[in-house]
Tab-separated table of all heavy atoms in Angstrom:
chain	number	residue	atom	x	y	z
I	135	MET	N	-70.255	-10.822	-38.767
I	135	MET	CA	-71.034	-10.358	-39.782
I	135	MET	C	-71.381	-8.939	-39.368
I	135	MET	O	-71.458	-8.534	-38.287
I	135	MET	CB	-72.234	-11.159	-40.253
I	135	MET	CG	-73.195	-11.162	-39.033
I	135	MET	SD	-74.633	-12.257	-39.330
I	135	MET	CE	-73.847	-13.924	-39.325
I	136	PRO	N	-71.775	-8.107	-40.406
I	136	PRO	CA	-72.304	-6.775	-40.216
I	136	PRO	C	-73.590	-6.757	-39.263
I	136	PRO	O	-74.301	-7.712	-39.403
I	136	PRO	CB	-72.597	-6.160	-41.528
I	136	PRO	CG	-71.824	-6.929	-42.508
I	136	PRO	CD	-71.660	-8.397	-41.955
I	137	MET	N	-73.655	-5.766	-38.432
I	137	MET	CA	-74.793	-5.826	-37.420
I	137	MET	C	-76.117	-5.744	-38.197
I	137	MET	O	-76.973	-6.526	-37.557
I	137	MET	CB	-74.580	-4.436	-36.516
I	137	MET	CG	-75.452	-4.397	-35.446
I	137	MET	SD	-74.850	-5.638	-34.249
I	137	MET	CE	-76.362	-5.849	-33.240
I	138	ASP	N	-76.356	-5.122	-39.281
I	138	ASP	CA	-77.612	-5.207	-39.954
I	138	ASP	C	-77.850	-6.678	-40.414
I	138	ASP	O	-78.939	-7.098	-40.251
I	138	ASP	CB	-77.576	-4.336	-41.179
I	138	ASP	CG	-77.602	-2.880	-40.857
I	138	ASP	OD1	-77.952	-2.523	-39.666
I	138	ASP	OD2	-77.217	-2.007	-41.687
I	139	GLU	N	-76.899	-7.338	-40.845
I	139	GLU	CA	-77.210	-8.759	-41.283
I	139	GLU	C	-77.500	-9.594	-40.021
I	139	GLU	O	-78.341	-10.423	-39.953
I	139	GLU	CB	-75.898	-9.353	-41.955
I	139	GLU	CG	-76.058	-10.747	-42.352
I	139	GLU	CD	-74.872	-11.251	-43.123
I	139	GLU	OE1	-73.925	-10.500	-43.474
I	139	GLU	OE2	-74.733	-12.527	-43.341
I	140	TRP	N	-76.692	-9.345	-38.894
I	140	TRP	CA	-77.057	-9.987	-37.579
I	140	TRP	C	-78.382	-9.901	-37.173
I	140	TRP	O	-79.139	-10.817	-36.848
I	140	TRP	CB	-76.066	-9.613	-36.506
I	140	TRP	CG	-76.453	-10.193	-35.137
I	140	TRP	CD1	-77.128	-9.593	-34.248
I	140	TRP	CD2	-76.051	-11.435	-34.642
I	140	TRP	NE1	-77.315	-10.506	-33.193
I	140	TRP	CE2	-76.603	-11.640	-33.323
I	140	TRP	CE3	-75.375	-12.660	-35.126
I	140	TRP	CZ2	-76.453	-12.722	-32.609
I	140	TRP	CZ3	-75.255	-13.650	-34.399
I	140	TRP	CH2	-75.817	-13.703	-33.119
I	141	LYS	N	-78.858	-8.633	-37.239
I	141	LYS	CA	-80.238	-8.324	-36.693
I	141	LYS	C	-81.292	-9.019	-37.703
I	141	LYS	O	-82.199	-9.589	-37.231
I	141	LYS	CB	-80.460	-6.894	-36.707
I	141	LYS	CG	-79.790	-6.113	-35.461
I	141	LYS	CD	-80.147	-4.646	-35.595
I	141	LYS	CE	-79.533	-3.985	-34.359
I	141	LYS	NZ	-79.816	-2.549	-34.348
I	142	ALA	N	-81.033	-8.927	-38.954
I	142	ALA	CA	-82.070	-9.553	-39.873
I	142	ALA	C	-82.071	-11.054	-39.821
I	142	ALA	O	-83.139	-11.617	-39.978
I	142	ALA	CB	-81.637	-9.125	-41.331
I	143	THR	N	-80.910	-11.632	-39.532
I	143	THR	CA	-80.902	-13.183	-39.707
I	143	THR	C	-80.815	-13.944	-38.283
I	143	THR	O	-81.084	-15.127	-38.283
I	143	THR	CB	-79.597	-13.695	-40.544
I	143	THR	OG1	-78.487	-13.231	-39.836
I	143	THR	CG2	-79.813	-13.009	-41.829
I	144	ARG	N	-80.411	-13.240	-37.296
I	144	ARG	CA	-80.209	-13.895	-36.004
I	144	ARG	C	-80.966	-13.347	-34.873
I	144	ARG	O	-81.409	-14.109	-33.812
I	144	ARG	CB	-78.740	-13.766	-35.552
I	144	ARG	CG	-77.724	-14.336	-36.606
I	144	ARG	CD	-77.673	-15.770	-36.622
I	144	ARG	NE	-76.590	-16.273	-37.375
I	144	ARG	CZ	-76.479	-16.539	-38.691
I	144	ARG	NH1	-77.439	-16.423	-39.404
I	144	ARG	NH2	-75.353	-17.070	-39.203
I	145	GLN	N	-81.327	-12.088	-34.792
I	145	GLN	CA	-81.964	-11.439	-33.661
I	145	GLN	C	-83.407	-11.647	-33.563
I	145	GLN	O	-84.056	-11.367	-34.707
I	145	GLN	CB	-81.600	-10.022	-33.608
I	145	GLN	CG	-82.031	-9.308	-32.253
I	145	GLN	CD	-81.399	-7.943	-32.157
I	145	GLN	OE1	-80.145	-7.799	-32.306
I	145	GLN	NE2	-82.264	-6.929	-32.009
I	146	THR	N	-84.029	-11.956	-32.545
I	146	THR	CA	-85.384	-12.088	-32.347
I	146	THR	C	-85.904	-10.913	-31.513
I	146	THR	O	-85.117	-10.375	-30.655
I	146	THR	CB	-85.881	-13.403	-31.779
I	146	THR	OG1	-85.211	-13.608	-30.510
I	146	THR	CG2	-85.468	-14.603	-32.627
I	147	PRO	N	-87.240	-10.599	-31.623
I	147	PRO	CA	-87.613	-9.507	-30.812
I	147	PRO	C	-87.645	-9.842	-29.266
I	147	PRO	O	-87.858	-11.000	-28.883
I	147	PRO	CB	-89.097	-9.322	-31.138
I	147	PRO	CG	-89.179	-9.963	-32.592
I	147	PRO	CD	-88.152	-11.034	-32.550
I	148	ALA	N	-87.317	-8.897	-28.457
I	148	ALA	CA	-87.253	-9.155	-26.992
I	148	ALA	C	-88.583	-9.004	-26.291
I	148	ALA	O	-89.442	-8.210	-26.755
I	148	ALA	CB	-86.186	-8.066	-26.370
I	149	THR	N	-88.927	-9.901	-25.383
I	149	THR	CA	-90.077	-9.913	-24.669
I	149	THR	C	-89.950	-8.906	-23.473
I	149	THR	O	-88.890	-8.593	-23.046
I	149	THR	CB	-90.475	-11.243	-24.228
I	149	THR	OG1	-89.404	-11.762	-23.247
I	149	THR	CG2	-90.537	-12.213	-25.306
I	150	GLU	N	-91.079	-8.562	-22.902
I	150	GLU	CA	-91.032	-7.696	-21.707
I	150	GLU	C	-90.366	-8.388	-20.557
I	150	GLU	O	-89.588	-7.753	-19.786
I	150	GLU	CB	-92.521	-7.364	-21.260
I	150	GLU	CG	-93.129	-6.329	-22.181
I	150	GLU	CD	-92.401	-5.054	-22.333
I	150	GLU	OE1	-91.959	-4.422	-21.325
I	150	GLU	OE2	-92.351	-4.538	-23.503
I	151	GLU	N	-90.498	-9.714	-20.375
I	151	GLU	CA	-89.755	-10.553	-19.433
I	151	GLU	C	-88.344	-10.512	-19.658
I	151	GLU	O	-87.462	-10.289	-18.730
I	151	GLU	CB	-90.361	-11.999	-19.493
I	151	GLU	CG	-89.672	-12.800	-18.398
I	151	GLU	CD	-90.149	-14.272	-18.512
I	151	GLU	OE1	-91.388	-14.427	-18.682
I	151	GLU	OE2	-89.329	-15.156	-18.324
I	152	GLN	N	-87.825	-10.696	-20.890
I	152	GLN	CA	-86.318	-10.607	-21.137
I	152	GLN	C	-85.774	-9.140	-20.821
I	152	GLN	O	-84.722	-9.084	-20.260
I	152	GLN	CB	-86.009	-10.899	-22.693
I	152	GLN	CG	-86.303	-12.317	-23.096
I	152	GLN	CD	-86.269	-12.538	-24.428
I	152	GLN	OE1	-86.779	-11.845	-25.385
I	152	GLN	NE2	-85.487	-13.519	-24.946
I	153	LEU	N	-86.520	-8.222	-21.223
I	153	LEU	CA	-86.046	-6.793	-20.919
I	153	LEU	C	-86.032	-6.550	-19.406
I	153	LEU	O	-85.025	-5.934	-18.847
I	153	LEU	CB	-87.100	-5.761	-21.594
I	153	LEU	CG	-87.021	-5.690	-23.069
I	153	LEU	CD1	-88.119	-4.913	-23.680
I	153	LEU	CD2	-85.622	-5.185	-23.589
I	154	ALA	N	-86.956	-7.068	-18.682
I	154	ALA	CA	-86.893	-6.964	-17.190
I	154	ALA	C	-85.715	-7.575	-16.574
I	154	ALA	O	-84.983	-7.044	-15.692
I	154	ALA	CB	-88.252	-7.466	-16.655
I	155	ARG	N	-85.441	-8.927	-17.123
I	155	ARG	CA	-84.300	-9.706	-16.589
I	155	ARG	C	-82.946	-8.890	-16.905
I	155	ARG	O	-82.146	-8.809	-16.099
I	155	ARG	CB	-84.336	-11.024	-17.213
I	155	ARG	CG	-85.076	-12.078	-16.323
I	155	ARG	CD	-84.621	-13.528	-16.829
I	155	ARG	NE	-84.706	-13.750	-18.162
I	155	ARG	CZ	-85.694	-14.216	-18.899
I	155	ARG	NH1	-86.842	-14.500	-18.320
I	155	ARG	NH2	-85.611	-14.351	-20.265
I	156	MET	N	-82.891	-8.326	-18.138
I	156	MET	CA	-81.815	-7.597	-18.468
I	156	MET	C	-81.548	-6.420	-17.511
I	156	MET	O	-80.371	-6.214	-17.177
I	156	MET	CB	-81.788	-7.144	-19.967
I	156	MET	CG	-80.602	-6.402	-20.491
I	156	MET	SD	-80.804	-5.605	-22.049
I	156	MET	CE	-81.891	-4.238	-21.667
I	157	LYS	N	-82.644	-5.583	-17.332
I	157	LYS	CA	-82.497	-4.458	-16.584
I	157	LYS	C	-81.927	-4.842	-15.120
I	157	LYS	O	-81.085	-4.125	-14.489
I	157	LYS	CB	-83.820	-3.798	-16.386
I	157	LYS	CG	-83.794	-2.517	-15.705
I	157	LYS	CD	-85.139	-1.793	-15.645
I	157	LYS	CE	-85.062	-0.555	-14.864
I	157	LYS	NZ	-86.371	0.152	-14.767
I	158	ALA	N	-82.476	-5.958	-14.555
I	158	ALA	CA	-82.146	-6.320	-13.177
I	158	ALA	C	-80.704	-6.844	-13.165
I	158	ALA	O	-79.820	-6.613	-12.343
I	158	ALA	CB	-83.054	-7.382	-12.701
I	159	SER	N	-80.381	-7.473	-14.260
I	159	SER	CA	-78.842	-8.156	-14.357
I	159	SER	C	-77.847	-6.949	-14.587
I	159	SER	O	-76.811	-7.012	-13.960
I	159	SER	CB	-78.852	-8.969	-15.561
I	159	SER	OG	-77.544	-9.631	-15.683
């Protein structure tokens, strides 16, 4: 689906913990 639709219907806000794990990964 278009990215705007994905963000609106599927994506949730990232937490600080998720962002830290992503950076390390």
Side-chain angles (χ1 to χ4, degrees):
M135 63 185 67
M137 192 68 196
D138 289 343
E139 183 180 345
W140 171 265
K141 285 182 178 182
T143 63
R144 306 285 197 268
Q145 187 170 308
T146 59
T149 66
E150 289 300 319
E151 182 181 318
Q152 287 172 313
L153 291 169
R155 269 196 314 266
M156 179 188 74
K157 183 177 179 182
S159 179

